[in-house]
Amino acid sequence: KMFYAEEDDGDDGYSEKHIATQRYHRNHAYIAELFQEGSVPDVRTVVTKQRMLILQKQVQSLVSHQSQLEEELQSIDKSYREKKQKYDESNDSFLSQMEDLRNKCDVEKQEFFVSLKSSDGKSAETPMETN
């Protein structure tokens, strides 16, 4: 701490201008001492116990909310994968049935042409064989 001596009101040879200048410098030194970093803490860095408790509760709430959202996301992802698997299986089954029907249709068409040609007395050659 800095200590400053108070000046006397007696006449010691100083003019009023000198005394005013000394007071001005002394007062600025007092103000500088008051507002230096160690004297006045930054209110943004001071955290009270009450504020700390509030922040801890907010952190717990956010962590809980995040875990709930992650669980929900996993549930949605699992549901999506199950639906996609069912769709893929259904699609494969449909394509298999479609191929079976196409083969059956080709066989029936061949048989139809064979029976048609044989009833006409022509050879058993089918239009597909000529292609």
Side-chain angles (χ1 to χ4, degrees), residues 108-127:
E108 288 177 0
K109 192 169 29 170
Q110 289 289 339
E111 291 174 357
F112 173 74
F113 284 123
V114 167
S115 67
L116 186 64
K117 295 233 179 199
S118 63
S119 67
D120 288 343
K122 296 182 180 178
S123 67
E125 187 177 321
T126 62

Side-chain angles (χ1 to χ4, degrees), residues 55-68:
L55 291 173
Q56 287 175 344
K57 287 179 182 178
Q58 287 177 345
V59 166
Q60 290 173 351
S61 173
L62 289 172
V63 167
S64 168
H65 187 66
Q66 181 183 9
S67 66
Q68 289 175 351

Side-chain angles (χ1 to χ4, degrees), residues 15 25 27-28 34 36 44-45 53 58-59 72 85 99 106 108 110 120 128:
S15 69
H25 287 294
N27 290 341
H28 274 74
L34 284 174
Q36 62 181 314
R44 294 172 293 178
T45 61
L53 291 174
Q58 287 177 345
V59 166
E72 183 179 350
Q85 183 180 4
E99 186 66 30
D106 287 344
E108 288 177 0
Q110 289 289 339
D120 288 343
M128 293 191 120

Side-chain angles (χ1 to χ4, degrees), residues 15-27:
S15 69
E16 289 181 22
K17 184 176 180 183
H18 285 99
I19 294 172
T21 304
Q22 278 183 332
R23 285 182 183 155
Y24 175 81
H25 287 294
R26 182 196 67 207
N27 290 341

Side-chain angles (χ1 to χ4, degrees), residues 31-77:
I31 290 172
E33 184 180 337
L34 284 174
F35 291 111
Q36 62 181 314
E37 240 180 88
S39 298
V40 180
D42 187 7
V43 294
R44 294 172 293 178
T45 61
V46 176
V47 180
T48 62
K49 289 182 181 180
Q50 181 71 19
R51 179 73 176 149
M52 189 61 134
L53 291 174
I54 290 171
L55 291 173
Q56 287 175 344
K57 287 179 182 178
Q58 287 177 345
V59 166
Q60 290 173 351
S61 173
L62 289 172
V63 167
S64 168
H65 187 66
Q66 181 183 9
S67 66
Q68 289 175 351
L69 290 175
E70 287 174 352
E71 289 173 4
E72 183 179 350
L73 183 62
Q74 288 175 351
S75 171
I76 291 170
D77 188 43

